[in-house]
Amino acid sequence: GVAPTLFAVEWFTTLFVYNVPYATAALVLSLFLVEGGMAFIVQVGVSLLAHWEAPLLACGFETILSELKARLRLLEPGELLGALRGLAHRARLLRDYTCTPPKPPPLDPSDDFGPGSGGGGGGDDS
């Protein structure tokens, strides 16, 4: 894998200003001031990685960083907003998803699972 320190440090220290077109940088800085800080900048980074997940994973190790930089240089404000909305949608889905395992069916007291019963508790013996 590619370590985030190879690309994310530059994003976070420059608030993306160094990496994106002027209009996108202005949007990032405006939202940074409104949203209140570094948590938003991390959200921008995560949303872009999620937004570009498929094409980035299709790249080889040698080309993934250049592909990421090329995509950032062309990033328009509308695409950034779409990526942020996509991440918010995923977060809502995850928040609303509950991972409660199904309850097992009640045991029938007439079933004999003792030794020699052939039940063994292990499913189909055929």
Side-chain angles (χ1 to χ4, degrees), residues 33-103:
L33 294 173
V34 170
E35 294 295 323
M38 287 308 293
F40 172 73
I41 296 299
V42 172
Q43 184 180 7
V44 169
V46 170
S47 67
L48 290 174
L49 290 174
H51 181 65
W52 294 327
E53 179 179 13
L56 290 175
L57 289 176
C59 293
F61 180 78
E62 299 81 19
T63 59
I64 194 166
L65 290 177
S66 59
E67 175 70 18
L68 187 57
K69 286 184 180 192
R71 287 179 175 275
L72 281 169
R73 282 192 299 273
L74 300 174
L75 181 64
E76 294 297 322
E79 186 178 4
L80 173 60
L81 290 173
L84 287 167
R85 283 188 201 105
L87 183 66
H89 178 70
R90 286 183 183 191
R92 263 193 310 282
L93 290 176
L94 291 174
R95 184 181 60 237
D96 295 342
Y97 179 77
T98 58
C99 188
T100 306
K103 292 185 179 184

Side-chain angles (χ1 to χ4, degrees), residues 110-122:
S110 65
D111 286 342
D112 180 15
F113 290 104
S117 67

